[in-house]
């Protein structure tokens, strides 16, 4: 896995793709933001600031107020890797986010996505 390249991807460049992905499946930007806030502890204003500052994923996750304690309940395969077995903490957080966005796009109920 080419981790150094992944670290440098700008969150602001991927965020619109996440929005497209979920909206294509009849979900909303608000639901996407709910998922991001659940995982990272950011609020709406902080997410907007991260996008405006054009931070990379490494910075995005390093500056996250609080990674949700239930994030470890996110399991399954994303991009060919089992998220619970990824050893690099940053890559694991990124794949957690990918997995949550996928679940949202696949129409899962929000309570299930947020591991309630």
């Amino acid at each position: 896995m080419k981790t150094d390249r992944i670290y440098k991807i700008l969150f602001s460049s991927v965020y619109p793709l996440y929005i497209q992905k979920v909206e294509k499946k009849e979900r909303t930007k608000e639901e996407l933001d709910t998922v991001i806030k659940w995982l990272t502890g950011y609020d709406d204003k902080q997410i907007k600031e991260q996008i405006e500052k054009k931070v990379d994923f490494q910075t995005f996750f390093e500056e996250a107020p609080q990674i949700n304690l239930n994030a470890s309940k996110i399991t399954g395969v994303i991009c060919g890797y089992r998220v619970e077995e990824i050893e690099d903490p940053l890559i694991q957080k990124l794949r957690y986010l990918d997995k949550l966005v996928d679940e949202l796009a696949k129409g899962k109920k929000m309570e299930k996505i947020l591991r309630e």
Side-chain angles (χ1 to χ4, degrees):
M1 205 184 312
K2 295 237 186 306
T3 54
D4 45 329
R5 263 197 5 217
I6 293 172
Y7 289 155
K8 300 299 170 219
I9 295 172
L10 299 182
F11 175 72
S12 61
S13 70
V14 176
Y15 183 71
L17 302 175
Y18 287 154
I19 293 171
Q20 273 181 343
K21 182 175 185 166
V22 301
E23 286 182 344
K24 245 195 307 199
K25 302 291 186 169
E26 316 274 316
R27 300 304 286 258
T28 65
K29 175 188 174 295
E30 289 70 30
E31 288 174 307
L32 171 65
D33 289 348
T34 297
V35 165
I36 294 170
K37 292 185 289 192
W38 177 86
L39 179 63
T40 62
Y42 284 118
D43 61 26
D44 289 319
K45 182 174 173 271
Q46 292 167 317
I47 292 172
K48 189 172 186 268
E49 287 168 359
Q50 293 292 347
I51 291 167
E52 288 169 357
K53 289 194 304 189
K54 295 194 180 332
V55 299
D56 56 31
F57 271 108
Q58 182 170 9
T59 306
F60 180 77
F61 282 110
E62 283 174 355
E63 293 182 356
Q66 171 70 52
I67 297 300
N68 194 300
L69 298 175
N70 286 330
S72 62
K73 292 181 179 178
I74 302 168
T75 58
V77 177
I78 189 87
C79 300
Y81 295 93
R82 292 206 68 77
V83 290
E84 61 271 27
E85 294 173 3
I86 296 172
E87 291 182 15
D88 182 311
L90 175 65
I91 301 298
Q92 188 175 50
K93 289 174 194 144
L94 181 55
R95 295 303 181 209
Y96 282 158
L97 181 56
D98 288 342
K99 186 76 176 156
L100 295 174
V101 172
D102 258 19
E103 290 176 355
L104 185 62
K106 286 180 179 163
K108 259 195 166 180
K109 287 189 173 16
M110 196 56 93
E111 308 81 63
K112 289 226 188 286
I113 296 171
L114 303 183
R115 304 326 195 243
E116 291 176 353

